[in-house]
Amino acid sequence: KRRVWIFGVCFGHQLALRALGAAVEKHPSGREMGAASVDVIGGEMQELLGRSNLSVIENHGDHVVVSAKGTIPWARNAHSLQ
């Protein structure tokens, strides 16, 4: 079984996971826009990246509520899963 690591933010992330069966909804706190700090929550990914935090640019008002079956979230911030 082959594992593929994908990092997505904003609409592309939500669209890809929705296509895989995830639940995506409007975020109750509204939009997240601009530079954001994202925590890497998977130990294996922290080891691969050599860090536990990333800085990314984001612009979205929706969020993934429940990830798709067979996927493992590996990054998040206070606003949502990444």
Side-chain angles (χ1 to χ4, degrees):
K1 192 173 191 178
R2 185 173 176 205
R3 293 173 61 175
V4 177
W5 294 98
I6 298 172
F7 179 75
V9 294
C10 306
F11 184 66
H13 159 249
Q14 296 156 9
L15 182 63
L17 282 174
R18 179 70 179 108
L20 294 170
V24 177
E25 299 176 354
K26 293 283 183 198
H27 197 285
S29 298
R31 298 196 75 73
E32 180 178 33
M33 191 176 340
S37 179
V38 175
D39 294 321
V40 179
I41 57 177
E44 187 176 355
M45 186 51 75
Q46 287 179 358
E47 186 176 326
L48 180 68
L49 294 173
R51 59 192 316 165
S52 61
N53 189 275
L54 300 172
S55 294
V56 298
I57 303 296
E58 301 181 324
N59 181 10
H60 54 234
D62 296 342
H63 69 127
V64 175
V65 180
V66 178
S67 199
K69 182 179 178 182
T71 64
I72 302 168
W74 60 267
R76 74 170 300 117
N77 65 10
H79 196 267
S80 62
L81 291 173
Q82 306 295 318

